[in-house]
Every structure is written in structure tokens, then in C-alpha cells.
Amino acid sequence: MLPWRATDGGRPDPYHVWLSEIMLQQTVVATVIPYFGRFIERYPTVADLAAAPDDDVLGLWAGLGYYARARNLIACARAVVAAGGFPATIDGLRALPGIGAYTAAAIGAIAFDLPVVPIDGNVERVAARIGAVTTALPAGKAEIARVAAWLGEHAAARAAPGDFAQALFDLGASLCAPRSPSCLVCPWRGDCAGHAAGIAATLPRKAARAPRPVRFGTVFLLRDADGAIGLRRRPPKGLLGGMMELPGTVWEAAMPDAPPPMRAAWRDAGVVVHVFTHFELRLRVMAAEVAALPEGLVAAAVDAPLPSLMRKAVSMGLGGLD
DNA sequence: AAGTCGGGGCA
DNA sequence: TGCCCAGACTT
């Protein structure tokens, strides 16, 4: 049972629904579950979250990715508290930071039973197959939306929009899987034009993606006499915005020159390969032990909250010391 | 419409 | 190795 779902009979908590939907943006359920539990434990209500220091929230989000979500999460929580609660309309939800068309519909349907069909990747796939939409995405989006709206006219959807939406998610995550859908046992098989045409598994069609370029860089792991490591904070916006990182070079198509932050007995600890959405990064990790950290670096524990890329780099840099 | 923005799991 | 995931936001 998913921890953000309402127990039988009760209405789901809008705070839980909202938090889970933000975390679930482009993120699989299994990854979200432990983060959701830690957030609810530390911030039992949206007011607790709104009152928390930014760094605490970013730290608890570290590793989950798409850090703009965490920044918008804070802003949204404070807006909700200032307004006295979550808005119960699509327009009101859509106006909040971090809530787009999908998330507004999801919260509206699940938390407030508004008669809408949230279109995420799962529903997009289910609708494209049921309607046999062969127009490739993103051009086929409007056509898919019409099929989804038609699904929303179903009696089950009208009776319980929230349950219907979550049932569509479950269908897309199980039977109507991306690669090999289980059409023979699907409850929609008789109404699925994609299955009737024998093309269900090929839908939805998508435009070809551009190849992923490679960038190179170097980071420097310094450990002082107390065992602390030297970190700095990234700019508030952009990639890994607002998160802590190891000091290092810019990341470029060719390995940039790497002047270390101070004189030390540097050793090459290896290369971390990390794949982002639109480029691949090969990050060389240089490590050294020094008496004291240089100016501009913050002393942090080796297990300080970090993005996964930086966690991998720290792990690699420390590993060579033993 | 296209680009930016993480991370992990799976065939 | 490529694709996918309960997408939002900027340009």
C-alpha cells in the first residue's frame, strides 16, 4: 500500500497528496517511498514544512534529483500556509509554484475528487493505446488529451475521480507497461483500438532524441586534520541549484585545466561517470589530506547531504585513502 | 516547440 | 546502452 494513499473510507490528506505528487514527478514510486516517509516524519504538517529552514529541506531532498522541485516545495508550502490551506480548485492549485497541469489535476482528483483526468506518462500511454493515437509526441498530445477526457466520462470516473485516476496509474504501471503490455488480461482490452490494430505495444510514438554529449571536469576532495571535507554551495538556480558540492573545474566538452584549490599531495582517485538528462559527465576526483581547509570552503561531515553525483565523488575520493 | 533539469532501474 | 519514470519551467 502506498503510504500517501488514504486508508479505506477516509479522505486523503491534501498535504500528503501534494508532497507525494511533487516527489513523483519523473521519479519512480520505489525511489519516492523512503523520502516521503522521512519528510512526513520531520514535517508532519505543511505548516511544519513551511517553517523549516531552506537548508534543512534541501538536505532532506538531497539525492532525489530535480532540485528545483525542492525549492518550489518550500515556496509552495509557505504560500499554502499563508492562504490558510490548499486550494480546492484546479486553477488555484495550478497557480502554486511547482504545480503544473498534471500535478494540479492529480491533486484535484485525488484530494478533492474534482472531475478531471491527470495525464502523466502512464495515462498518456494508456490513452494513446486505447485511442490508437499514432501521431508522435509531443504533437500527439492534444489527441491523447481528448482520449483521456473521454475516459473521464466513464461511470467509474464520474463516481470517484480520485480512485479512477489512481487506477489508471496502476494500470499503466502494471498491465499497460511500456514494452510488453499484458493485453490479454487487460480490463480495457475490448475497448482498446490500439490492441485491435495490433499496435498497442508500439504506442505512444515519440520523436527521436538528440544524442547525449559528454562533458569533462575535475573535483577536489580535501580532508582536514579533523576528518572533515571541504564543500562549497552551488548557485541557487540551474543544475543542482542550491546544493553543496566538491570544489572543482567547470564541466566542458574537453577536460579543462585543473588548478587545485591549494598546494597539497594530490592523488588521482579515479573518474566518476554520471548521466544527466541532457549530457554525460566524466568527473575526475583528486584527493588530498591537509592540516586546514583553504578559505572559501565549508567544513562538512563526510556523510553530509549531497546530490548523488557528489556523493559518488566523495565515496571514490575517500575510498583511495584506506 | 525545444531546451533545461537527477537519478535509478530494467530489458 | 537506451528508455522510462504520478513533469515543471524557461526561452
Side-chain angles (χ1 to χ4, degrees), chain A residues 192-214:
Chain A
C192 185
H195 174 66
I199 58 172
T202 71
L203 303 176
R205 295 179 184 165
K206 300 192 176 179
R209 304 189 175 190
R212 200 191 324 263
V214 181

Side-chain angles (χ1 to χ4, degrees), chain A residues 175 181-187 189 195:
Chain A
L175 300 185
S182 305
C183 299
L184 293 183
V185 293
C186 180
R189 180 165 59 101
H195 174 66

Side-chain angles (χ1 to χ4, degrees), chain A residues 66-229:
Chain A
Y66 284 135
Y67 298 95
R69 294 186 295 174
R71 303 193 293 272
N72 286 329
L73 190 81
I74 297 168
C76 185
R78 292 172 184 166
V80 166
V81 169
F86 283 90
T89 66
I90 296 299
D91 288 344
L93 290 165
R94 179 67 182 80
L96 290 167
I99 298 183
Y102 160 75
T103 304
I107 298 172
I110 297 170
F112 301 113
D113 259 338
L114 300 180
V116 291
V117 179
I119 304 178
D120 70 329
N122 287 311
V123 177
E124 198 169 61
R125 181 171 56 256
V126 171
R129 288 171 174 174
I130 289 178
V133 177
T134 55
T135 309
L137 291 169
K141 214 167 179 179
E143 202 174 336
I144 289 175
R146 285 194 289 275
V147 178
W150 174 78
L151 291 175
E153 302 300 313
H154 194 275
R158 289 184 171 282
D163 291 343
F164 186 78
Q166 295 179 85
L168 278 181
F169 299 157
D170 291 343
L171 180 65
S174 56
L175 300 185
C176 203
R179 288 185 174 77
S180 54
S182 305
C183 299
L184 293 183
V185 293
C186 180
W188 286 89
R189 180 165 59 101
D191 297 305
C192 185
H195 174 66
I199 58 172
T202 71
L203 303 176
R205 295 179 184 165
K206 300 192 176 179
R209 304 189 175 190
R212 200 191 324 263
V214 181
R215 295 183 193 172
F216 300 85
T218 301
V219 290
F220 301 96
L221 176 65
L222 279 169
R223 263 193 122 180
D224 69 13
D226 298 326
I229 60 175

